[in-house]
Amino acid sequence: MLRKKDNNMNGSDIVVESLVENGVTHIFGVPGDTSMNFHDALSRNGKIQYIVCRDERNAAYMADGYARVLNRHGVVDVPSGGGVLYCIPGLAESNDSSIPLVCISSDITMSSEETEALTDVRQLELTAPVTKWNCKIKSTKKIQQYIQKAFRIALLGKPGATHVSIPENIHGEEIVWAYKKTARPPSLFSLKSGPGNYDCLAVKEAILKAKYPIIIAGGGVHSSGAYDPLLEFSEKLGAFVATSINGKGSISEVHPLSIGVIGANGGSEETNKIVSSADLVIILGSKMNNVTSMGGAIFNEEQTIIQVDISEKILGTNVYTHLPILGDIVQFLRNMNNILRDEQQNISSRHQWKSMVGEILQRKKNRIKIEEKNNTKFVNPAKFFKTLMSLVDENTIFIADAGTPTPYIASYCRMRLSGRHTVMPRAHGSLGYALPAAIGVKVAKPDTTVVSMFGDGSFGMALGDLETAKRVGLPIIFVNFQNNSYGWIKTIQKLYYDERYYAVDFDKIDATRISEGFGLKAKKISSNDEIESVLHWSLQQKSPVLLDVYIETPTELIPPVVKWERDKTVPVEKRKKLTY
């Protein structure tokens, strides 16, 4: 359908119209000299809410969090030069976590190229390693086409990040614009195909032979929105469901068939043992890297392994796969549910399997209960998370940095509903992610309780955007776990470097006073007795708050990381650090 506009329009107006046409309602970004035409066009258009941020990296993390919980694209806007340089960590995290993020950057005017102009940097070479696709628009007539392409590539197939660089002269150039309206904007659920019937019949044969089946659900289950067909599939098979950290919430974790997170970080000896005891493993949308698979140790040579993924590059990369299946997870599960509809009488009842798994999971529950009762000088994280989970509702979303909060959330916090209720940066383990990502999550889900958790090392990297949360009016609960160190690294030095602590400690800060300076309310939690009352207070607030939680140092209390818990019980010379 062709819609003509008789008046001249400049490039920035076309950019904005193209963004609106692709369903963009929010942009996270930072303005710059070369993006002024674009910002003026956004102001005049009025259809997109622009969240101005205090740092380009934080802006990209906000767009990433926004995209994750809405299962749609996030958009970040940055200026030329330093703006593009600073947002690279966010693009890398989204791209390698399969999150659809579109970066729009301005660039110097094309006539200034190769003149050592201020803010000149070879943007396409810079972002190529951390995006699925990037381009530089050199003709105003190509704006609509390339922006549509950026969204399509970000969303379709294996999702990821894309980057569109727009020089200042293209933003300002006027043309008579003939607008071509699209039938529908792309989405994560567009143009997805399932596996062939031959593959599904082979899976059926493996299922009918299995006595001890298990499903490992990764982040691809969230991207596909495969919650209902996964539940039906697991119940048909009587198969337990384990998840990676990214896949947490693929099934309700209070469902009898859920065993929780597996792997090195947030998994447990108990859940890993269940996987290693299975005779059939069906992997859905997970890379199965060393952290998730414990370097392959959770598998055994007798198992039949089936892997389903939207990306041909992932299949068989980290685990030997007997049956690799390329296709969308929802389509695969729907096909399998149809095929198995008349096979229920031929599927083993799994009584022995269910009994064995039940005993193993009970041991895990008993162990956690003991850990929650530990008397500690400062706050016991296990008790903190138990109390937190008792107070929040089932729709609450938790965002955590890659350090100490992640294994506690993954292992101890059971999500009562299926869905993406936890957001953690598992591609690059970036510190400074959780604070800004929570802002993106809250913008996306304004009626949902959002809890953002990070260590004091991370806090120092991202604290400027506390002002953004206050200015935009986002009642987020920020939790700073303070132990005056890079606790994760300090634990590694304790376990594997004979307690030679180097470059990991810093002076104590007062996070409450810092937060109050940004206009937030803040309170300290220094002991276990204060946990419940302060958490209850935080949940009653209508504006952002920060809780400064003094936790035991990792030299006193090892976080629930499987390899660490195992190695702390053996002599130093027998310990071996897990490689990524």
Side-chain angles (χ1 to χ4, degrees), residues 195-209 306 323 325 332 335-336 338-340 343:
N197 195 53
Y198 176 82
D199 285 336
C200 291
L201 290 175
V203 174
K204 184 189 83 168
E205 292 305 312
I207 288 171
L208 294 179
K209 293 176 182 177
I306 298 169
L323 184 54
I325 296 178
F332 166 75
N335 290 350
M336 290 308 306
N338 287 333
I339 287 172
L340 295 171
E343 298 287 348

Side-chain angles (χ1 to χ4, degrees), residues 77-111:
D77 162 56
V78 297
S80 55
V84 179
L85 288 163
Y86 292 160
C87 81
I88 293 299
L91 296 183
E93 182 60 44
S94 293
N95 196 55
D96 293 337
S97 292
S98 301
I99 303 301
L101 184 139
V102 177
C103 174
I104 305 293
S105 72
S106 56
D107 203 351
I108 62 169
T109 188
M110 292 165 67
S111 63

Side-chain angles (χ1 to χ4, degrees), residues 211-212 348-358:
K211 294 182 178 179
Y212 313 119
S348 168
S349 62
R350 327 280 196 212
H351 291 313
Q352 182 180 357
W353 182 225
K354 291 177 181 177
S355 175
M356 181 176 74
V357 171

Side-chain angles (χ1 to χ4, degrees), residues 360-388:
I360 295 173
L361 291 179
Q362 189 59 50
R363 290 201 296 269
K364 177 183 176 181
K365 292 176 184 177
N366 293 341
R367 172 178 56 79
I368 290 175
K369 286 180 180 178
I370 293 172
E371 293 172 3
E372 291 168 347
K373 294 177 180 177
N374 281 344
N375 289 320
T376 52
K377 179 180 178 182
F378 296 109
V379 172
N380 175 0
K383 182 174 179 60
F384 177 89
F385 282 99
K386 177 189 178 183
T387 308
L388 176 64

